[in-house]
mmCIF file of all heavy atoms in Angstrom:
data_model
loop_
_atom_site.group_PDB
_atom_site.id
_atom_site.type_symbol
_atom_site.label_atom_id
_atom_site.label_comp_id
_atom_site.label_asym_id
_atom_site.label_seq_id
_atom_site.Cartn_x
_atom_site.Cartn_y
_atom_site.Cartn_z
ATOM 1 N N PHE T 5 66.244 80.743 123.065
ATOM 2 C CA PHE T 5 65.196 80.888 122.052
ATOM 3 C C PHE T 5 64.144 79.789 122.266
ATOM 4 O O PHE T 5 64.495 78.639 122.563
ATOM 5 C CB PHE T 5 65.772 80.750 120.646
ATOM 6 C CG PHE T 5 66.742 81.879 120.278
ATOM 7 C CD1 PHE T 5 68.056 81.610 120.050
ATOM 8 C CD2 PHE T 5 66.291 83.179 120.220
ATOM 9 C CE1 PHE T 5 68.930 82.633 119.729
ATOM 10 C CE2 PHE T 5 67.172 84.211 119.892
ATOM 11 C CZ PHE T 5 68.477 83.908 119.649
ATOM 12 N N ALA T 6 62.914 80.120 122.039
ATOM 13 C CA ALA T 6 61.824 79.139 122.099
ATOM 14 C C ALA T 6 61.238 79.066 120.699
ATOM 15 O O ALA T 6 60.341 79.839 120.355
ATOM 16 C CB ALA T 6 60.765 79.610 123.123
ATOM 17 N N ILE T 7 61.760 78.147 119.899
ATOM 18 C CA ILE T 7 61.321 77.983 118.539
ATOM 19 C C ILE T 7 60.267 76.879 118.504
ATOM 20 O O ILE T 7 60.578 75.733 118.811
ATOM 21 C CB ILE T 7 62.507 77.707 117.596
ATOM 22 C CG1 ILE T 7 63.500 78.854 117.702
ATOM 23 C CG2 ILE T 7 62.024 77.496 116.143
ATOM 24 C CD1 ILE T 7 64.815 78.593 117.055
ATOM 25 N N PRO T 8 59.054 77.207 118.089
ATOM 26 C CA PRO T 8 57.995 76.193 118.077
ATOM 27 C C PRO T 8 58.272 75.052 117.116
ATOM 28 O O PRO T 8 58.887 75.263 116.079
ATOM 29 C CB PRO T 8 56.747 77.009 117.629
ATOM 30 C CG PRO T 8 57.075 78.444 117.807
ATOM 31 C CD PRO T 8 58.543 78.534 117.676
ATOM 32 N N ALA T 9 57.809 73.857 117.466
ATOM 33 C CA ALA T 9 57.936 72.723 116.560
ATOM 34 C C ALA T 9 57.272 73.034 115.230
ATOM 35 O O ALA T 9 56.236 73.647 115.165
ATOM 36 C CB ALA T 9 57.277 71.472 117.171
ATOM 37 N N GLY T 10 57.923 72.670 114.148
ATOM 38 C CA GLY T 10 57.400 72.928 112.822
ATOM 39 C C GLY T 10 57.628 74.317 112.282
ATOM 40 O O GLY T 10 57.260 74.596 111.135
ATOM 41 N N ALA T 11 58.214 75.177 113.069
ATOM 42 C CA ALA T 11 58.483 76.559 112.619
ATOM 43 C C ALA T 11 59.604 76.555 111.591
ATOM 44 O O ALA T 11 60.467 75.700 111.566
ATOM 45 C CB ALA T 11 58.861 77.434 113.807
ATOM 46 N N THR T 12 59.582 77.532 110.691
ATOM 47 C CA THR T 12 60.633 77.727 109.715
ATOM 48 C C THR T 12 61.399 78.970 110.078
ATOM 49 O O THR T 12 60.827 80.047 110.202
ATOM 50 C CB THR T 12 59.993 77.890 108.296
ATOM 51 O OG1 THR T 12 59.252 76.730 107.980
ATOM 52 C CG2 THR T 12 61.114 78.086 107.249
ATOM 53 N N ILE T 13 62.713 78.822 110.218
ATOM 54 C CA ILE T 13 63.568 79.958 110.488
ATOM 55 C C ILE T 13 63.913 80.608 109.157
ATOM 56 O O ILE T 13 64.458 79.959 108.284
ATOM 57 C CB ILE T 13 64.828 79.504 111.255
ATOM 58 C CG1 ILE T 13 64.428 78.902 112.602
ATOM 59 C CG2 ILE T 13 65.777 80.707 111.468
ATOM 60 C CD1 ILE T 13 65.587 78.221 113.322
ATOM 61 N N THR T 14 63.563 81.868 109.044
ATOM 62 C CA THR T 14 63.810 82.594 107.749
ATOM 63 C C THR T 14 64.937 83.598 107.854
ATOM 64 O O THR T 14 65.398 84.093 106.836
ATOM 65 C CB THR T 14 62.548 83.305 107.295
ATOM 66 O OG1 THR T 14 62.148 84.259 108.330
ATOM 67 C CG2 THR T 14 61.412 82.307 107.041
ATOM 68 N N GLY T 15 65.380 83.904 109.066
ATOM 69 C CA GLY T 15 66.486 84.858 109.198
ATOM 70 C C GLY T 15 66.916 85.009 110.616
ATOM 71 O O GLY T 15 66.185 84.705 111.557
ATOM 72 N N VAL T 16 68.148 85.505 110.775
ATOM 73 C CA VAL T 16 68.731 85.763 112.094
ATOM 74 C C VAL T 16 69.341 87.138 112.078
ATOM 75 O O VAL T 16 70.146 87.485 111.185
ATOM 76 C CB VAL T 16 69.790 84.716 112.448
ATOM 77 C CG1 VAL T 16 70.463 85.080 113.768
ATOM 78 C CG2 VAL T 16 69.213 83.327 112.517
ATOM 79 N N THR T 17 69.000 87.957 113.040
ATOM 80 C CA THR T 17 69.556 89.291 113.203
ATOM 81 C C THR T 17 70.394 89.285 114.492
ATOM 82 O O THR T 17 69.905 88.817 115.527
ATOM 83 C CB THR T 17 68.483 90.360 113.316
ATOM 84 O OG1 THR T 17 67.677 90.313 112.136
ATOM 85 C CG2 THR T 17 69.081 91.752 113.453
ATOM 86 N N VAL T 18 71.612 89.763 114.381
ATOM 87 C CA VAL T 18 72.465 89.916 115.573
ATOM 88 C C VAL T 18 72.752 91.398 115.737
ATOM 89 O O VAL T 18 73.163 92.079 114.799
ATOM 90 C CB VAL T 18 73.789 89.111 115.383
ATOM 91 C CG1 VAL T 18 74.775 89.432 116.516
ATOM 92 C CG2 VAL T 18 73.509 87.630 115.339
ATOM 93 N N THR T 19 72.514 91.878 116.942
ATOM 94 C CA THR T 19 72.763 93.269 117.264
ATOM 95 C C THR T 19 73.781 93.322 118.408
ATOM 96 O O THR T 19 73.626 92.595 119.378
ATOM 97 C CB THR T 19 71.476 93.981 117.665
ATOM 98 O OG1 THR T 19 70.516 93.854 116.620
ATOM 99 C CG2 THR T 19 71.709 95.447 117.955
ATOM 100 N N TYR T 20 74.768 94.204 118.312
ATOM 101 C CA TYR T 20 75.759 94.347 119.324
ATOM 102 C C TYR T 20 76.229 95.783 119.367
ATOM 103 O O TYR T 20 76.007 96.553 118.426
ATOM 104 C CB TYR T 20 76.935 93.364 119.152
ATOM 105 C CG TYR T 20 77.625 93.569 117.844
ATOM 106 C CD1 TYR T 20 78.743 94.388 117.741
ATOM 107 C CD2 TYR T 20 77.195 92.921 116.673
ATOM 108 C CE1 TYR T 20 79.388 94.581 116.547
ATOM 109 C CE2 TYR T 20 77.829 93.114 115.473
ATOM 110 C CZ TYR T 20 78.911 93.954 115.400
ATOM 111 O OH TYR T 20 79.567 94.139 114.207
ATOM 112 N N ARG T 21 76.873 96.150 120.471
ATOM 113 C CA ARG T 21 77.387 97.506 120.615
ATOM 114 C C ARG T 21 78.851 97.463 120.835
ATOM 115 O O ARG T 21 79.398 96.510 121.409
ATOM 116 C CB ARG T 21 76.738 98.198 121.799
ATOM 117 C CG ARG T 21 75.250 98.433 121.569
ATOM 118 C CD ARG T 21 74.527 99.080 122.681
ATOM 119 N NE ARG T 21 75.283 99.629 123.731
ATOM 120 C CZ ARG T 21 74.826 99.810 124.971
ATOM 121 N NH1 ARG T 21 73.610 99.443 125.241
ATOM 122 N NH2 ARG T 21 75.563 100.325 125.892
ATOM 123 N N GLY T 22 79.540 98.526 120.417
ATOM 124 C CA GLY T 22 80.956 98.562 120.624
ATOM 125 C C GLY T 22 81.505 99.974 120.499
ATOM 126 O O GLY T 22 80.865 100.888 119.928
ATOM 127 N N LYS T 23 82.686 100.179 121.057
ATOM 128 C CA LYS T 23 83.410 101.464 120.941
ATOM 129 C C LYS T 23 84.833 101.216 121.375
ATOM 130 O O LYS T 23 85.184 100.209 121.952
ATOM 131 C CB LYS T 23 82.755 102.530 121.790
ATOM 132 C CG LYS T 23 82.944 102.322 123.295
ATOM 133 C CD LYS T 23 82.351 103.505 124.065
ATOM 134 C CE LYS T 23 82.682 103.408 125.528
ATOM 135 N NZ LYS T 23 82.285 104.606 126.246
ATOM 136 N N VAL T 24 85.689 102.223 121.084
ATOM 137 C CA VAL T 24 87.057 102.224 121.649
ATOM 138 C C VAL T 24 87.063 103.332 122.685
ATOM 139 O O VAL T 24 86.338 104.307 122.589
ATOM 140 C CB VAL T 24 88.139 102.483 120.577
ATOM 141 C CG1 VAL T 24 88.147 101.348 119.582
ATOM 142 C CG2 VAL T 24 87.941 103.790 119.872
ATOM 143 N N SER T 25 87.899 103.190 123.695
ATOM 144 C CA SER T 25 87.975 104.185 124.757
ATOM 145 C C SER T 25 89.193 105.065 124.643
ATOM 146 O O SER T 25 89.410 105.917 125.487
ATOM 147 C CB SER T 25 87.891 103.542 126.123
ATOM 148 O OG SER T 25 88.969 102.652 126.286
ATOM 149 N N ASN T 26 89.996 104.833 123.619
ATOM 150 C CA ASN T 26 91.263 105.513 123.498
ATOM 151 C C ASN T 26 91.419 106.058 122.088
ATOM 152 O O ASN T 26 91.409 105.276 121.108
ATOM 153 C CB ASN T 26 92.383 104.518 123.802
ATOM 154 C CG ASN T 26 93.742 105.138 123.709
ATOM 155 O OD1 ASN T 26 93.979 106.161 123.089
ATOM 156 N ND2 ASN T 26 94.722 104.424 124.318
ATOM 157 N N ASP T 27 91.486 107.323 121.922
ATOM 158 C CA ASP T 27 91.625 107.924 120.577
ATOM 159 C C ASP T 27 92.840 107.443 119.780
ATOM 160 O O ASP T 27 92.847 107.450 118.562
ATOM 161 C CB ASP T 27 91.698 109.464 120.667
ATOM 162 C CG ASP T 27 90.365 110.117 120.826
ATOM 163 O OD1 ASP T 27 89.370 109.544 120.356
ATOM 164 O OD2 ASP T 27 90.288 111.179 121.494
ATOM 165 N N ALA T 28 93.849 106.916 120.509
ATOM 166 C CA ALA T 28 95.046 106.448 119.820
ATOM 167 C C ALA T 28 94.770 105.230 118.944
ATOM 168 O O ALA T 28 95.516 104.978 117.992
ATOM 169 C CB ALA T 28 96.145 106.087 120.870
ATOM 170 N N VAL T 29 93.724 104.454 119.257
ATOM 171 C CA VAL T 29 93.440 103.293 118.440
ATOM 172 C C VAL T 29 92.200 103.494 117.538
ATOM 173 O O VAL T 29 91.876 102.623 116.744
ATOM 174 C CB VAL T 29 93.254 102.020 119.317
ATOM 175 C CG1 VAL T 29 94.529 101.654 120.017
ATOM 176 C CG2 VAL T 29 92.105 102.207 120.305
ATOM 177 N N THR T 30 91.548 104.636 117.615
ATOM 178 C CA THR T 30 90.437 104.922 116.717
ATOM 179 C C THR T 30 90.908 104.800 115.289
ATOM 180 O O THR T 30 91.916 105.346 114.905
ATOM 181 C CB THR T 30 89.846 106.295 117.020
ATOM 182 O OG1 THR T 30 89.369 106.345 118.358
ATOM 183 C CG2 THR T 30 88.697 106.658 116.062
ATOM 184 N N GLY T 31 90.151 104.146 114.455
ATOM 185 C CA GLY T 31 90.522 103.953 113.086
ATOM 186 C C GLY T 31 91.362 102.711 112.834
ATOM 187 O O GLY T 31 91.627 102.362 111.705
ATOM 188 N N ASN T 32 91.708 102.010 113.918
ATOM 189 C CA ASN T 32 92.551 100.812 113.790
ATOM 190 C C ASN T 32 91.814 99.554 114.256
ATOM 191 O O ASN T 32 92.367 98.486 114.122
ATOM 192 C CB ASN T 32 93.821 100.969 114.557
ATOM 193 C CG ASN T 32 94.694 102.062 114.011
ATOM 194 O OD1 ASN T 32 94.782 102.238 112.800
ATOM 195 N ND2 ASN T 32 95.297 102.820 114.904
ATOM 196 N N LEU T 33 90.672 99.690 114.871
ATOM 197 C CA LEU T 33 89.993 98.533 115.430
ATOM 198 C C LEU T 33 88.667 98.267 114.771
ATOM 199 O O LEU T 33 87.884 99.206 114.540
ATOM 200 C CB LEU T 33 89.769 98.726 116.952
ATOM 201 C CG LEU T 33 90.989 98.734 117.817
ATOM 202 C CD1 LEU T 33 90.574 99.047 119.254
ATOM 203 C CD2 LEU T 33 91.714 97.413 117.766
ATOM 204 N N ARG T 34 88.393 97.019 114.519
ATOM 205 C CA ARG T 34 87.100 96.629 114.009
ATOM 206 C C ARG T 34 86.767 95.222 114.510
ATOM 207 O O ARG T 34 87.688 94.479 114.868
ATOM 208 C CB ARG T 34 87.033 96.681 112.510
ATOM 209 C CG ARG T 34 87.774 95.559 111.814
ATOM 210 C CD ARG T 34 87.711 95.690 110.326
ATOM 211 N NE ARG T 34 88.567 96.761 109.959
ATOM 212 C CZ ARG T 34 88.961 97.078 108.803
ATOM 213 N NH1 ARG T 34 88.558 96.352 107.765
ATOM 214 N NH2 ARG T 34 89.749 98.075 108.519
ATOM 215 N N LEU T 35 85.502 94.911 114.523
ATOM 216 C CA LEU T 35 85.063 93.584 114.899
ATOM 217 C C LEU T 35 85.027 92.761 113.626
ATOM 218 O O LEU T 35 84.287 93.097 112.674
ATOM 219 C CB LEU T 35 83.733 93.609 115.600
ATOM 220 C CG LEU T 35 83.731 94.395 116.880
ATOM 221 C CD1 LEU T 35 82.307 94.507 117.453
ATOM 222 C CD2 LEU T 35 84.646 93.783 117.910
ATOM 223 N N ARG T 36 85.843 91.726 113.556
ATOM 224 C CA ARG T 36 85.996 90.976 112.302
ATOM 225 C C ARG T 36 85.086 89.777 112.208
ATOM 226 O O ARG T 36 83.990 89.869 111.697
ATOM 227 C CB ARG T 36 87.456 90.523 112.155
ATOM 228 C CG ARG T 36 88.389 91.612 111.865
ATOM 229 C CD ARG T 36 89.782 91.048 111.566
ATOM 230 N NE ARG T 36 89.678 89.862 110.769
ATOM 231 C CZ ARG T 36 90.543 88.857 110.847
ATOM 232 N NH1 ARG T 36 91.562 88.910 111.643
ATOM 233 N NH2 ARG T 36 90.403 87.817 110.072
ATOM 234 N N ASP T 37 85.495 88.687 112.700
ATOM 235 C CA ASP T 37 84.815 87.415 112.457
ATOM 236 C C ASP T 37 83.547 87.295 113.279
ATOM 237 O O ASP T 37 83.596 87.081 114.489
ATOM 238 C CB ASP T 37 85.739 86.243 112.748
ATOM 239 C CG ASP T 37 86.978 86.299 111.864
ATOM 240 O OD1 ASP T 37 86.875 86.743 110.727
ATOM 241 O OD2 ASP T 37 88.049 85.879 112.319
ATOM 242 N N ILE T 38 82.383 87.480 112.611
ATOM 243 C CA ILE T 38 81.125 87.403 113.270
ATOM 244 C C ILE T 38 80.350 86.229 112.642
ATOM 245 O O ILE T 38 79.916 86.354 111.508
ATOM 246 C CB ILE T 38 80.338 88.735 113.147
ATOM 247 C CG1 ILE T 38 81.189 89.856 113.711
ATOM 248 C CG2 ILE T 38 78.980 88.642 113.866
ATOM 249 C CD1 ILE T 38 80.637 91.235 113.409
#
């Protein structure tokens, strides 16, 4: 990141992608601690 001197940070957005590749675990997996 290139944050200019004196700038005010008002928010942070994090975007990510995910999936499971096995139907056996669908419904059992989630990304927790972010």
Side-chain angles (χ1 to χ4, degrees):
F5 296 116
I7 301 169
T12 300
I13 299 171
T14 59
V16 175
T17 302
V18 172
T19 303
Y20 59 93
R21 294 180 11 205
K23 70 176 187 172
V24 297
S25 60
N26 180 341
D27 280 329
V29 295
T30 299
N32 295 322
L33 292 176
R34 75 181 71 167
L35 298 175
R36 288 188 40 211
D37 300 327
I38 304 169

